[in-house]
Amino acid sequence: EIVLTQSPGTLSLSPGERATLSCRTSQDIDSRFLAWYRQRPGRAPSLLLYRASVRAAGVPDRFSGSASGTDFTLTISRLEPEDFAVYYCQHYDTSITFGPGTRVDI
Amino acid sequence: QLQLQESGPGLVKPSETLALTCSVSGYSISAGFYWGWIRQSPEKGLEWIGSVHQSGSTFYNPSLKSRVTISADTSKNEFSLKLNSVTAADTAIYYCGADSSVRWYFYWGQGLLVTVSS
């Protein structure tokens, strides 16, 4: 079973700053099977990126994703107030697994 | 616009069966898509439970497979989750989700807190 590790656990930033979030997989994976979600307080997760770097419908272009081996990165170029939330990476093979999340705090 | 809404009891007794329904509006479940369940607890984080395709094919988390049944009712345009022999560890917010891909979920319900307690 592939394990997802996210870092840092918490990222403290200010509006307008750049956020870089990491997701590391325990084995090499097909990047087409990795997604990122944002979960705002009291809400369901919301799909941001799929296939590691493709923005889901309606997702602003300040969100971008990249992959290098077992390392996947979500970058938010300029933090907006609604971006202070928890971010999860998610992998699919024959089952879906989520990472433990990174909290982006003000 | 596809919308999902979970319903069911908020309190289930240990050893009993947790049964939830997800009502779908804005889209016919018989037209396609994968319809799934995900839960979230402080202890386990986000945990995928499983999904059903409009064809009837089902996909389950191996760790829950022995206790889970997910099915779709096209006449009611809804799908359901049954989880047997629940314990306190099954206490969580349960979400239903949907997507054209089996790999992730674009559409989510608002979530339903289910507590397992006597």
Side-chain angles (χ1 to χ4, degrees), chain A residues 33-75:
Chain A
F33 298 158
L34 190 110
W36 287 93
Y37 295 83
R38 176 181 69 180
Q39 186 174 31
R40 298 167 67 183
R43 300 193 183 190
S46 174
L47 182 65
L48 292 173
L49 305 174
Y50 59 95
R51 295 179 185 169
S53 62
V54 179
R55 282 187 294 275
V59 174
D61 62 6
R62 66 179 182 272
F63 292 95
S64 62
S66 62
S68 177
T70 59
D71 291 323
F72 295 82
T73 301
L74 169 67
T75 301

Side-chain angles (χ1 to χ4, degrees), chain A residues 71-83:
Chain A
D71 291 323
F72 295 82
T73 301
L74 169 67
T75 301
I76 311 170
S77 60
R78 295 172 310 280
L79 286 165
E80 297 287 340
E82 62 267 29
D83 298 334

Side-chain angles (χ1 to χ4, degrees), chain B residues 50-74:
Chain B
S51 65
V52 59
H53 186 250
Q54 53 88 211
S55 65
S57 299
T58 52
F59 310 84
Y60 296 128
N61 185 325
S63 68
L64 297 169
K65 186 174 183 177
S66 63
R67 298 195 291 132
V68 173
T69 303
I70 296 175
S71 59
D73 187 336
T74 56

Side-chain angles (χ1 to χ4, degrees), chain A residues 3-103:
Chain A
V3 177
L4 306 180
T5 302
Q6 292 188 245
S7 61
T10 301
L11 196 53
S12 296
L13 294 168
S14 299
E17 289 193 300
R18 181 184 187 91
T20 303
L21 288 67
S22 173
C23 175
R24 178 167 291 176
T25 59
S26 58
Q27 304 172 35
D28 282 332
I29 66 165
D30 188 329
S31 63
R32 293 176 298 169
F33 298 158
L34 190 110
W36 287 93
Y37 295 83
R38 176 181 69 180
Q39 186 174 31
R40 298 167 67 183
R43 300 193 183 190
S46 174
L47 182 65
L48 292 173
L49 305 174
Y50 59 95
R51 295 179 185 169
S53 62
V54 179
R55 282 187 294 275
V59 174
D61 62 6
R62 66 179 182 272
F63 292 95
S64 62
S66 62
S68 177
T70 59
D71 291 323
F72 295 82
T73 301
L74 169 67
T75 301
I76 311 170
S77 60
R78 295 172 310 280
L79 286 165
E80 297 287 340
E82 62 267 29
D83 298 334
F84 292 92
V86 181
Y87 293 81
Y88 297 96
C89 56
Q90 176 239 292
H91 174 248
Y92 167 81
D93 45 30
T94 55
S95 184
I96 287 176
T97 53
F98 292 89
T102 290
R103 180 179 301 276

Side-chain angles (χ1 to χ4, degrees), chain B residues 6-10 20-21 92-95 110-114:
Chain B
E6 305 90 349
S7 62
L20 301 179
T21 297
I93 297 172
Y94 285 75
Y95 296 100
Q110 65 184 23
L112 180 67
L113 174 62
V114 179

